């Protein structure tokens, strides 16, 4: 049953007469669209034991085997524990697995892809104040941010 009766020779008439072809071609287009979305910056959530969250400026936070980390240009992988994500910064507490680092806090500048490390809470809070960043919100783990980002409509696009 259709609301509009298609005229012979029209595209709608063509697809109405060939319903199997319409279903198969629709399935192919949707499947390829979801496949390419899955490997895009906004659609890639990680494979296997790894997970990732896109955080803006084409940067991401990775997690593998319960270790969350970022990869700034001025350092190797920096393991992070609890953090806050804003439009231009990610900041919070460093993980204990950063054995070679004596610092406890970090600020990851997404625009410049650089990270600053702080050993004392006072210098860290002073930096946050100078950049007008929120100091009252609680820091959250990777799992909390992951669940919030990939919840809702994005959940239905996961493979």
């Amino acid at each position: 049953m259709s609301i509009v009766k298609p005229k012979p020779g029209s595209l709608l008439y063509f697809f109405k007469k060939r319903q199997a072809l319409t279903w198969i071609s629709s399935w192919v287009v949707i499947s390829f669209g979801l496949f390419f979305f899955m490997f895009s910056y906004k659609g890639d959530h990680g494979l296997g034991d790894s997970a990732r969250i896109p955080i803006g400026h084409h940067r991401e936070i990775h997690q593998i085997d319960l270790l969350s980390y970022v990869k700034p240009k001025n350092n190797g992988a920096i393991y992070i524990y609890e953090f806050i994500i804003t439009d231009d910064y990610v900041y919070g507490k460093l993980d204990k697995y950063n054995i070679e680092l004596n610092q406890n806090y970090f600020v990851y500048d997404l625009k410049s892809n650089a990270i600053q490390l702080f050993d004392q809470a006072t210098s860290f809070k002073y930096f946050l104040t100078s950049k007008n960043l929120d100091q009252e919100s609680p820091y959250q783990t990777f799992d909390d941010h992951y669940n919030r980002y990939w919840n809702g409509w994005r959940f239905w696009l996961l493979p």
Side-chain angles (χ1 to χ4, degrees):
M1 179 177 188
S2 67
I3 298 172
V4 178
K5 185 174 180 176
K7 296 178 183 176
S10 68
L11 188 61
L12 189 59
Y13 184 80
F14 174 80
F15 283 118
K16 183 175 180 181
K17 290 296 181 189
R18 293 165 183 84
Q19 291 179 359
L21 176 66
T22 302
W23 281 104
I24 291 171
S25 61
S26 298
W27 178 82
V28 167
V29 168
I30 291 169
S31 296
F32 277 112
L34 289 175
F35 180 78
F36 288 115
F37 175 75
M38 181 177 71
F39 292 106
S40 70
Y41 172 72
K42 291 286 189 180
D44 181 13
H45 66 95
L47 296 171
D49 289 343
S50 67
R52 65 176 283 286
I53 306 170
I55 52 176
H57 299 281
H58 288 285
R59 314 274 186 255
E60 59 240 355
I61 298 175
H62 301 272
Q63 184 185 50
I64 189 162
D65 294 332
L66 302 176
L67 293 174
S68 305
Y69 62 94
V70 293
K71 291 183 178 179
K73 70 177 179 185
N74 60 346
N75 289 54
I78 302 291
Y79 296 104
I80 59 178
Y81 179 60
E82 293 179 325
F83 51 91
I84 294 175
I85 300 171
T86 64
D87 290 337
D88 295 328
Y89 295 96
V90 175
Y91 57 96
K93 299 176 184 176
L94 289 172
D95 202 333
K96 62 184 176 184
Y97 290 102
N98 294 305
I99 297 171
E100 70 279 358
L101 301 175
N102 293 327
Q103 287 84 3
N104 297 319
Y105 303 97
F106 75 96
V107 176
Y108 181 33
D109 185 351
L110 300 176
K111 283 184 180 178
S112 65
N113 194 21
I115 196 163
Q116 283 190 281
L117 304 173
F118 301 91
D119 57 345
Q120 296 178 356
T122 54
S123 58
F124 174 65
K125 289 184 179 186
Y126 179 77
F127 185 84
L128 296 180
T129 304
S130 69
K131 298 292 184 182
N132 293 326
L133 296 173
D134 183 20
Q135 299 178 32
E136 302 300 321
S137 297
Y139 298 133
Q140 296 179 328
T141 62
F142 180 88
D143 293 335
D144 296 328
H145 288 287
Y146 182 86
N147 290 335
R148 185 171 39 257
Y149 183 81
W150 292 109
N151 197 8
W153 67 270
R154 288 186 180 103
F155 174 77
W156 297 102
L157 298 178
L158 294 178

